[in-house]
Amino acid sequence: MIRLRRITKFFGRNQVLKDIDLTVEKGEVVVILGPSGSGKTTLLRCINYLEKPNAGEVAIGELAVDCKRPSKKDIQALRRKTAMVFQHYNLFKHKTALENVMEGLVVVRKLAKEEARERSVRVLEKVGLGDKLDAYPSQLSGGQQQRVGIARALALEPEAILFDEPTSALDPERVGEVLEVIRNIAKEGITMIVVTHEMGFARDVANRVVFMDGGVIVEEGDPKIIFSRPKEERTRQFLKRITPEANYSI
């Protein structure tokens, strides 16, 4: 479904991704964990070319793009296969929830307004905002705004949804409502890659957990194994800090 091969990324002289290989199967939920600065978000953004890798290959389905020589057509095709949910919502403040979801369908996908409206209403109802269609972002809580962002991604009907720390900007009491929406999406078999610090979510929802540090994948595997019997010392150190009650004696 999604295949990353030897993905390399520099910011100036700083190499933030070092020959990353990762495969995500259709319908799989992969959660990426790691400390700040480990390269998690950069890797996510490289999948749809919000960041341009310096080398490697990004493939989604049958489309494979050489990162050294990508064409504009290839980049556009990759972006059409994915949708991204950002940590800071990125909603248009002057548009209602419904208009925010419709925007990409009308402007990018060129759908007729009536079809775009019907699809947008449907996904807003799916995320529990059927009664907030005409509300502006300033009238919505942070959790509701993030659910609009998720609805906007769903409306595009992508092959995969990329979540970049979708709860990190929320008040603690709003985190649960957003995670519950993502859990429900996962049950529908939509391919997802989620960068998050929510350990409970990763343990309960992910098919696979990937731990990154220093621009490399240190360890990956079944959440039950990663959280109970991690193989790598660096993984154990990280999890002890995040979940200090755990005992990772090997």
Side-chain angles (χ1 to χ4, degrees):
M1 171 57 188
I2 298 175
R3 299 177 304 280
L4 308 179
R5 295 289 177 265
R6 301 186 66 83
I7 297 296
T8 299
K9 176 64 182 176
F10 285 86
F11 289 117
R13 295 183 179 181
N14 181 28
Q15 186 174 5
V16 295
L17 296 177
K18 304 171 183 177
D19 292 332
I20 296 287
D21 289 337
L22 180 66
T23 299
V24 179
E25 300 298 338
K26 185 175 181 179
E28 191 175 19
V29 179
V30 171
V31 170
I32 303 179
L33 306 175
S36 298
S38 59
K40 309 182 300 296
T41 291
T42 300
L43 180 63
L44 200 69
R45 292 169 66 89
C46 281
I47 294 172
N48 64 358
Y49 265 74
L50 288 177
E51 295 290 353
K52 182 183 180 298
N54 296 96
E57 180 183 88
V58 176
I60 302 178
E62 299 302 316
L63 175 65
V65 178
D66 183 343
C67 298
K68 286 188 175 181
R69 295 179 293 276
S71 68
K72 288 184 179 180
K73 183 179 179 181
D74 286 340
I75 293 172
Q76 289 173 349
L78 278 179
R79 288 176 177 168
R80 287 178 70 88
K81 289 176 176 289
T82 64
M84 191 133 180
V85 176
F86 301 91
Q87 53 183 301
H88 292 296
Y89 326 138
N90 289 358
L91 301 182
F92 294 107
K93 297 184 184 301
H94 63 289
K95 292 183 181 291
T96 65
L98 180 59
E99 290 168 340
N100 265 282
V101 178
M102 287 178 61
E103 182 77 8
L105 297 176
V106 174
V107 175
V108 179
R109 296 293 169 89
K110 308 300 182 185
L111 264 63
K113 283 192 176 181
E114 188 54 37
E115 182 182 355
R117 188 183 192 283
E118 289 177 3
R119 189 187 295 186
S120 298
V121 169
R122 187 168 64 249
V123 295
L124 282 165
E125 289 175 345
K126 180 180 288 189
V127 301
L129 294 175
D131 61 339
K132 300 291 184 181
L133 303 181
D134 298 322
Y136 289 90
S138 62
Q139 299 170 312
L140 300 172
S141 68
Q144 289 170 332
Q145 290 184 65
Q146 188 59 291
R147 282 188 277 159
V148 174
I150 294 171
R152 180 175 55 190
L154 285 171
L156 296 171
E157 297 182 349
E159 294 184 28
I161 302 180
L162 313 175
F163 293 86
D164 182 16
E165 300 195 20
T167 61
S168 66
L170 299 178
D171 293 333
E173 67 228 27
R174 301 295 182 184
V175 170
E177 68 187 63
V178 172
L179 292 180
E180 185 60 28
V181 168
I182 300 175
R183 282 189 177 93
N184 291 335
I185 296 171
K187 293 175 185 176
E188 297 181 9
I190 297 175
T191 306
M192 301 195 300
I193 305 178
V194 186
V195 170
T196 185
H197 290 294
E198 298 293 337
M199 298 297 112
F201 174 85
R203 185 183 287 111
D204 296 341
V205 180
N207 301 114
R208 184 156 44 103
V209 168
V210 173
F211 173 65
M212 289 185 65
D213 191 32
V216 301
I217 292 176
V218 176
E219 186 169 356
E220 62 179 295
D222 184 295
K224 294 185 179 72
I225 295 174
I226 294 293
F227 283 106
S228 63
R229 301 187 304 279
K231 295 179 182 178
E232 301 297 329
E233 176 60 27
R234 182 65 187 93
T235 312
R236 293 195 289 272
Q237 291 173 355
F238 174 78
L239 291 174
K240 279 183 178 179
R241 284 204 299 272
I242 300 298
T243 55
E245 74 280 2
N247 180 9
Y248 298 108
S249 58
I250 304 298

